[in-house]
Amino acid sequence: MSHPAADRPLRVAIIGAGPAGVYAADILTKAEREFEVSIDLFDAYPAPYGLIRYGVAPDHPRIKGIVNALHKVLDRGDIRFLGNVTYGRDLLLSDIRSMYDAVIFATGAIRDAPLNVPGVELEGSFGAADFVSWYDGHPDVPRDWPLDATEIAVIGNGNVALDVARVLSKHAEDLLVTEIPDNVYRGLAQSPVTDVHVFGRRGPAQVKFTPLELRELSHSRDVDIVLYPEDFEFDEASDEAIKTNNQVKTMVNTLTNWLVEEQDTGASRRLHLHFLHNPVEIMGRDGKVAGMRFERQELDGTGNVRGTGEMVDYPVQAVYRAIGYFGSELQEVGFDADRGVIPNDGGRVLDESGRRVPGIYATGWIKRGPVGLIGHTKGDALETIGNLLEDRLDLPAAERPEAGAVVELLESRGVPYTTWEGWLRLDAHERALGAAAGTVETAKGPVARERVKVVPREDMVRISQDG
């Protein structure tokens, strides 16, 4: 049996142009098949790359490599990018289904997971995802950020927590080698911070960050790393993890070496790493954050923890919650509110009764939750694309499969969409802004700005469309 679309390319829409969406498109174009495919990659932002552009610290050493890989995929010309198009507003599911044989949702997870403790609503209590969006120049967040605290708590023991702590403790001029926007540089330069505390519930052998992110902390100029002997508790499960897991062994060795070395150079800023601390309450005064209360934990032999009943308070004026990201519900698509994902079976989207919805798929964090690294994202895409190809003969055929149909629709609705050619113009413009900024004198010596990120959405669209 042949599909009704057997005499034309299979039309596939992918919602989300971050790594998950780009990898899915790349895998589909390279898959062994006896038919052509036509892929449109949509994103709510005018620029591609998703969380690589708006969710990773600007000084992360692997950003450039990932961006270069994504660029090569999109620059081939066999995948069409349509940016500044918001699903559920500019483009509805009914629109997509009428113009495409299948749709893959790759929208990721951009909200903070909740921290349910008293005081979370106080002024000075922030979600890490919001702060990351600010320092990464997200077009839809305020340009200013309140950076008036001298002592700060970061709750979480994952990579995002370390990114946030590193950016908060780092001297702003040392970020000029990155693409941070000018408003972010000015804000960080005025910060009076002296101490940033990172708190995790479990022990050093149970942390969720990776060795690379941990080692980055020691690269910050004029920032001492402070650790505490009472936090270095290891149970049977910890010892086993250290023996059998090279990553855990590397991180524990790094942390214990720092503890023994007692890094105290008299730096103007300190980054404290605390373990076995369970957040109990954000304490306030006059409606503002004034401190953080924790219950000391102890390991129970299995790598998990239990409370000791001992409470300890820290004077801080700001708290950043970095306990994980959470997916957002998408219009007309099922949603698991407990896990923050689209219900699916191997990437095949399921309805409320658990049955497959023909032609609708998911990949990346919106498929499996916000865990894992880039390698997991590629594995997700392989599974989802494999199932899509297996379902090809049963996909509901598009009524208007011509490539120009979606462009006509967007233009009829007045949507100022952007294209890959437009991104190349914006990319060149940001690099030109860096060149125009020239060389800046810093404590580390002269720094040449490579690029400066454009922030306002309207400017991004204008530059993309007009050059």
Side-chain angles (χ1 to χ4, degrees):
M1 185 178 76
S2 64
H3 188 267
D7 59 345
R8 62 165 173 79
L10 183 73
R11 291 282 286 149
V12 178
I14 299 177
I15 310 301
V22 175
Y23 290 143
D26 186 39
I27 290 168
L28 181 54
T29 60
K30 293 177 178 177
E32 291 188 14
R33 48 187 167 74
E34 297 178 352
F35 55 90
E36 295 183 12
V37 295
S38 173
I39 303 170
D40 285 342
L41 187 63
F42 295 91
D43 204 278
Y45 307 136
Y49 308 146
L51 280 182
I52 295 299
R53 182 174 168 92
Y54 293 122
V56 181
D59 59 345
H60 197 295
R62 289 186 294 186
I63 287 182
K64 289 182 181 179
I66 298 172
V67 167
N68 288 340
L70 299 179
H71 177 97
K72 288 179 181 178
V73 173
L74 294 179
D75 202 44
R76 292 196 311 249
D78 54 356
I79 300 165
R80 182 166 62 171
F81 171 71
L82 294 168
N84 203 41
V85 178
T86 300
Y87 169 79
R89 185 191 69 192
D90 302 324
L91 203 60
L92 308 179
L93 183 60
S94 56
D95 300 324
I96 295 171
R97 305 215 69 172
S98 70
M99 295 181 287
Y100 299 88
D101 304 304
V103 55
I104 303 171
F105 288 97
T107 50
I110 59 174
R111 291 191 294 136
D112 282 292
L115 176 65
N116 296 315
V117 299
V120 74
E121 77 290 343
L122 289 168
E123 182 181 338
S125 171
F126 306 107
D130 294 332
F131 181 59
V132 172
S133 292
W134 174 75
Y135 68 57
D136 271 333
H138 192 296
D140 300 331
V141 302
R143 303 289 184 266
D144 299 319
W145 190 270
L147 289 163
D148 49 10
T150 58
E151 300 160 296
I152 299 171
V154 179
I155 312 301
N157 255 177
N159 287 337
V160 174
L162 291 193
D163 280 351
V164 167
R166 192 177 65 256
V167 171
L168 284 168
S169 60
K170 205 166 189 173
H171 291 276
E173 65 177 15
D174 294 338
L175 287 167
L176 287 174
V177 295
T178 75
E179 60 185 36
I180 63 166
D182 287 335
N183 66 296
V184 175
Y185 168 70
R186 291 193 299 270
L188 291 172
Q190 295 169 3
S191 171
V193 66
T194 59
D195 293 84
V196 177
H197 299 262
V198 181
F199 296 95
R201 289 181 61 250
R202 298 199 288 173
Q206 288 80 39
V207 294
K208 295 298 184 182
F209 40 74
T210 51
L212 177 63
E213 277 72 17
L214 180 61
R215 286 194 295 266
E216 282 182 60
L217 297 183
S218 64
H219 299 160
S220 294
R221 177 184 61 84
D222 192 33
V223 179
D224 280 342
I225 299 174
V226 184
L227 298 106
Y228 299 85
E230 62 269 25
D231 290 347
F232 281 74
E233 179 181 312
F234 301 96
D235 60 1
E236 294 88 341
S238 301
D239 292 336
E240 182 65 20
I242 294 169
K243 291 177 183 177
T244 59
N245 188 308
N246 285 332
Q247 178 165 301
V248 173
K249 180 180 179 180
T250 298
M251 289 190 292
V252 170
N253 284 343
T254 299
L255 289 167
T256 52
N257 286 340
W258 288 350
L259 177 66
V260 171
E261 291 168 2
E262 294 184 356
Q263 296 187 355
D264 183 5
T265 67
S268 66
R269 294 180 177 181
R270 291 163 293 280
L271 202 165
H272 308 254
L273 299 179
H274 303 269
F275 305 101
L276 300 170
H277 281 66
N278 186 46
V280 173
E281 179 185 1
I282 301 174
M283 300 179 294
R285 185 182 305 115
D286 300 327
K288 299 180 179 181
V289 171
M292 188 83 198
R293 174 166 295 163
F294 297 87
E295 181 184 10
R296 290 285 304 180
Q297 306 290 289
E298 62 182 8
L299 293 167
D300 65 2
T302 69
N304 291 313
V305 292
R306 58 190 171 219
T308 66
E310 177 189 353
M311 299 294 172
V312 57
D313 297 346
Y314 293 85
V316 296
Q317 300 82 50
V319 174
Y320 289 77
R321 309 178 302 275
I323 58 174
Y325 285 111
F326 203 75
S328 300
E329 186 171 0
L330 296 164
Q331 188 173 313
E332 300 183 86
V333 183
F335 188 67
D336 183 336
D338 293 328
R339 298 178 57 223
V341 299
I342 296 174
N344 70 91
D345 178 13
R348 295 179 171 110
V349 171
L350 306 176
D351 63 17
E352 293 180 355
S353 62
R355 292 175 300 195
R356 296 177 185 172
V357 183
I360 304 183
Y361 301 84
T363 191
W365 280 4
I366 199 63
K367 169 188 173 184
R368 62 179 164 84
V371 292
L373 303 174
I374 291 295
H376 297 88
T377 302
K378 290 181 178 179
D380 272 345
L382 277 168
E383 180 183 53
T384 296
I385 295 302
N387 286 332
L388 186 156
L389 293 174
E390 184 178 305
D391 300 340
R392 177 179 173 253
L393 298 181
D394 299 318
L395 296 175
E399 299 171 3
R400 300 179 57 202
E402 59 273 15
V406 68
V407 171
E408 292 176 9
L409 179 65
L410 294 174
E411 291 178 347
S412 72
R413 292 177 177 172
V415 178
Y417 65 89
T418 60
T419 63
W420 178 247
E421 292 73 21
W423 161 246
L424 295 178
R425 286 192 286 269
L426 178 57
D427 181 49
H429 180 83
E430 292 184 345
R431 292 179 185 278
L433 290 178
T439 300
V440 182
E441 290 295 331
T442 72
K444 282 187 173 182
V447 171
R449 297 217 65 185
E450 185 174 319
R451 67 187 296 148
V452 178
K453 189 179 288 184
V454 173
V455 179
R457 181 181 287 265
E458 58 273 19
D459 289 351
M460 295 174 67
V461 172
R462 174 182 54 78
I463 294 164
S464 296
Q465 293 183 335
D466 302 333

